[in-house]
Amino acid sequence: MNIGKISIKNFRYKPLYTFLGVLMLSVSIALLLGIQKLDRSLKNQMENNLGNIDMVVGAKGSPLQLVLASVLHIDNPTGNISCTEAKTLAKNPMVEKAVPISYGDNYQGYRIVGTTKDFAFLYGATLDKGKNIERSMEVILGATLAERTNLKIGDTFQSSHGLAVLGSHEHDDLLTVVGIYRPTGKVIDRLLVTPLETIWDVHHHEENGKEVGHQDEHVNPDHDSEEGHHDEDNVLEEENKEITSLLVSFRNPMALLNLPRAINENTNMQAALPKFELDRLYQFTGVGIKVITGIAYAILAISCITIFVSLYRMVRDRAFDLALMRTYGASNFQLIKMVAYEGLLVAAISFLIGTLLSYLGIYLIFKMIADQYKQQMPIEFGYQEFLPTGFLVLTMVLFAIVFAIYPIVKMNISKILSHEK
Amino acid sequence: MIRTQGLTFTYDTDDAVFNFPDISLPENEHLLILGKSGIGKTTFLHLLAGLLSPIQGEIQIGKVKVHQLSTRQTNKFRGKNIGLVFQKNHAIQSLNVIENLEARLFFAKQTLNQETMTEVLKQLDIADCKNKKVQELSEGQLQRLGIAMALVHQPKVILADEPTSSLDDENCNKVMNLLIQQAKAHHANLIVITHDNRIKPMFKNHMAL
C-alpha cells in the first residue's frame, strides 16, 4: 500500500463523478487542441498555396475574387486580360517572374490550367513520371488528381467546359496525359497543367465549329481594350489572344509599394496582393474560429471548476476518512499528495483522451476537406503544439488542487472525529 | 504503561476549562472511564491520543513524554503506538477490508504479510470479508474491522470512544470481549470511555469524569 494506490482507489471509488470530470476536461482539451490545429493548418495551407506568388494581375473586379480564382483556384475568374498588356507588364524590371494562366475548363471537376513552364516553378513542383510538355493538347497531372482520377500517362480525355462538373458540355478535342507531378501539398496537386495554346486551340475550334457561342469567359475577343497597345515588336500571334490572369513574383519587396498601385491606376487591369487579400479574408472568417476558441476556453474553465468541486467535495465528503488517516499517523503532506495525485490523474487521463479526440476530429475534418474541396492537407501533430495547451491545463488543475486541499491544512481532526456522522 | 498528571485543556472558543484527574495504568491493565456526555470524555481521549494538546500537564506513554513532542513527532508516535476505536466510521470508504489494514500499517510505516493480516481478521471473525468493500459490511462486522484497525500495528495503547453505544446487548458483549481479549493478546493498555453502563462489570478499574 502507498499513497499512489490509495489515490487510484479514491479515483475509482465514485466512478460517475470521476467520469464526468474526465469527460468535461477531455472534451475541452480536444476542442482547444483541435481548433488550434485547424486554425494553423488552414492558415498554413492558404499561405502554402501562394507559392512564390507576390501579386496577381487580372481583369478589374473584386481583388479577393481574383486571388481566390487565380491563386487558390476556388472561385470564378473576374474576366480576361489582354496578352499584350500582360507581356508589357512582365517586362517591368521589378518583376522577377510573370506566369500567365488561362483557365475555364475542367476534367471531373478538376481545373485545367493553361500556362507556361514557369507555373511549376512557382510551386516547386517537379515531375514524378513522364516528360515535360512539348506541344499543345498535352497535359501534366497534379499528384492528388492523378491519384483520384484513373488517368495514367498516355491516356487521352475530353475536357468539359466551365469550372464545375455540372451543366457543362464536353469539348471535342482530346487532351493527352504526358506527365505527373510529385506531391507538393500545394494547389498544383489538384490541377491539370497544359500550355496556354491548348486552351486557345480548344476554344478557337469551337468558335469556328459552332454557330451558337456559349457564354465564354476566356475567349471573349474583347478588342476595345487593346486599341493603343499594338506592340511593334510583338510578332507572335498573341496580340488578339487573352489570358485570365498573370501571376507575378517580385524581384524585391519595394515593388509591393509601387507596382500594384501603378497597375490599378494606369491600366484597365487589376493587381491584387494574395497575402493581403487572404489576411483580409481571414479577419472575417477568423471570427468563427475566435468564437469557438472562446467557447473552448470557457469549457476548460468550467471543467477545471468541476475538478475543483469534485476534489473539494471529496475532501469534504471524506473528511472523516482523512481524519482517520491522520490518526493512523499520516502527515498533512501525505494527504495533500493523495488528493493532488487524484487531480493529476484526472488531468493526465483527460489530456490523453482529449488528444485522441482532437486527432479523430481533425482527421475527419481533413477528410471532408479533401473530399469536398479536393485539397489534401497533411495531418501532423508536433509535440510543441500540445505544450501550450498542456501547460494551461496543468496550471488550472494545479490551482483547482491547491484550492481543494486547503481544508486539509485547516483540518481539525479532533473536531471531525468527535462529530461523527 | 500510561500516565497523566494535571491535565488541563480549553477550547479557545469558549472559556470552559477542563481539569482531568490523573491516571496511572501499569502494563496489561485496562481502564473504563464513565461519564455523561458533554463533560469532556472525548476531549480527554483526544488528549491521550495526541489529537489535542493540553495547555498544562503531562502525558507519558511507555517512556515517551507525549506532551513534549512536536506535531510531526506526535503524528508519527500516534501512528505507531496508539490504536483508536470509534463509535462509527471505522475504516476508509474507498478501500476494501484488507486494503484498509494495509493502509493502516503503511501510515505506521510497518508491513505484515497477508497471512498475519488474515490471522488478525480471523480472530475477529471477519476473515471472510477480507475482499469486501467497507460499505458492504454489517454494523457488527464494521465494529470488528474498527478493532482490527486499532490493533493490527501492535500499539501500546488502545483508546476506544463509545465503542458500544450503537450496538445491541449481544453485539455489545461480543465487541467488548473481543476488545479486552485482543488488548491482552497484544499487551496493550485499553482505555474505554463510555456512558454505557452495560460494560461496567467487565472492567476492574473504573474512573468517573
Side-chain angles (χ1 to χ4, degrees), chain A residues 135-149:
Chain A
R135 59 182 70 83
S136 174
M137 308 309 283
E138 287 184 342
V139 168
I140 301 182
L141 307 178
T144 310
L145 191 146
E147 197 185 296
R148 299 280 183 89
T149 61

Side-chain angles (χ1 to χ4, degrees), chain A residues 110-404:
Chain A
Y110 292 98
R111 293 188 180 199
I112 300 171
V113 179
T115 181
T116 63
K117 272 184 211 160
D118 288 340
F119 189 69
F121 291 127
L122 285 178
Y123 300 101
T126 50
L127 273 181
D128 183 26
K129 288 175 208 149
K131 61 180 185 67
N132 276 314
I133 293 167
E134 279 155 8
R135 59 182 70 83
S136 174
M137 308 309 283
E138 287 184 342
V139 168
I140 301 182
L141 307 178
T144 310
L145 191 146
E147 197 185 296
R148 299 280 183 89
T149 61
N150 288 324
L151 290 178
K152 291 181 294 292
I153 290 169
D155 283 358
T156 57
F157 61 93
Q158 285 175 316
S159 60
S160 305
H161 188 68
L163 297 173
V165 196
L166 289 174
S168 56
H169 76 268
E170 294 200 335
H171 293 297
D172 299 328
D173 308 76
L174 285 176
L175 299 172
T176 313
V177 180
V178 296
I180 295 169
Y181 286 125
R182 283 204 179 84
T184 59
K186 296 173 192 170
V187 71
I188 196 170
D189 286 358
R190 53 190 172 91
L191 296 176
L192 296 95
V193 179
T194 186
L196 282 169
E197 291 77 16
T198 310
I199 309 285
W200 291 329
D201 288 348
V202 168
H203 292 91
H204 189 61
H205 295 169
E206 301 245 323
E207 290 226 322
N208 294 344
K210 289 187 182 167
E211 283 131 277
V212 186
H214 46 262
Q215 205 207 340
D216 191 338
E217 59 260 38
H218 14 260
V219 205
N220 210 350
D222 183 4
H223 296 285
D224 306 353
S225 58
E226 293 176 45
E227 280 173 321
H229 274 275
H230 285 271
D231 266 334
E232 306 80 23
D233 57 326
N234 197 349
V235 283
L236 291 170
E237 49 170 326
E238 285 166 15
E239 46 194 306
N240 289 337
K241 303 277 190 196
E242 295 199 317
I243 58 172
T244 316
S245 53
L246 190 68
L247 308 175
V248 179
S249 68
F250 293 140
R251 211 175 284 280
N252 68 56
M254 281 301 286
L256 216 61
L257 298 172
N258 306 321
L259 208 49
R261 202 176 52 206
I263 295 167
N264 287 333
E265 283 173 4
N266 304 328
T267 71
N268 56 2
M269 297 185 294
Q270 166 188 222
L273 303 170
K275 266 221 168 75
F276 175 75
E277 293 303 328
L278 289 183
D279 276 349
R280 223 160 52 94
L281 174 68
Y282 219 78
Q283 276 171 8
F284 296 122
T285 56
V287 173
I289 295 259
K290 270 185 200 135
V291 169
I292 301 172
T293 311
I295 294 171
Y297 278 115
I299 296 176
L300 180 73
I302 292 167
S303 55
C304 282
I305 293 171
T306 314
I307 292 185
F308 160 68
V309 169
S310 63
L311 287 177
Y312 190 81
R313 279 182 78 135
M314 170 223 154
V315 170
R316 276 289 151 109
D317 287 356
R318 288 189 243 151
F320 204 93
D321 277 5
L322 294 170
L324 267 185
M325 289 183 210
R326 288 296 304 274
T327 71
Y328 298 163
S331 64
N332 262 340
F333 181 65
Q334 281 177 311
L335 298 190
I336 289 170
K337 222 160 69 171
M338 191 178 80
V339 176
Y341 281 168
E342 215 179 314
L344 291 175
L345 196 63
V346 170
I349 292 177
S350 304
F351 202 75
L352 202 72
I353 297 176
T355 309
L356 291 176
L357 275 180
S358 72
Y359 248 115
L360 189 73
I362 290 289
Y363 173 77
L364 291 177
I365 289 172
F366 279 18
K367 206 168 131 52
M368 190 192 79
I369 290 175
D371 287 348
Q372 287 193 351
Y373 301 100
K374 312 205 178 335
Q375 177 117 345
Q376 207 78 272
M377 310 230 296
I379 305 181
E380 290 153 8
F381 273 92
Y383 72 95
Q384 64 272 40
E385 299 195 355
F386 297 125
L387 282 182
T389 309
F391 188 73
L392 184 74
V393 172
L394 192 69
T395 316
M396 294 195 70
V397 169
L398 284 179
F399 263 107
I401 291 171
V402 167
F403 281 114

Side-chain angles (χ1 to χ4, degrees), chain A residues 9-10 326 328 414 420, chain B residues 46 78 88 94 99 149:
Chain A
K9 297 281 175 185
N10 287 345
R326 288 296 304 274
Y328 298 163
S414 169
E420 295 193 48
Chain B
H46 285 180
R78 183 195 319 122
K88 277 184 183 175
S94 56
E99 285 165 352
M149 296 291 278

Side-chain angles (χ1 to χ4, degrees), chain B residues 87-130:
Chain B
Q87 185 181 337
K88 277 184 183 175
N89 292 304
H90 309 284
I92 303 164
Q93 296 291 318
S94 56
L95 306 178
N96 69 23
V97 170
I98 198 87
E99 285 165 352
N100 259 293
L101 290 189
E102 286 173 11
R104 177 67 187 90
L105 290 166
F106 165 73
F107 287 120
K109 296 194 166 60
Q110 293 177 21
T111 45
L112 279 182
N113 57 27
Q114 290 284 323
E115 287 82 52
T116 321
M117 284 190 286
T118 313
E119 189 53 41
V120 170
L121 295 175
K122 213 176 257 169
Q123 284 168 19
L124 293 161
D125 204 20
I126 46 171
D128 296 342
C129 310
K130 208 166 111 171

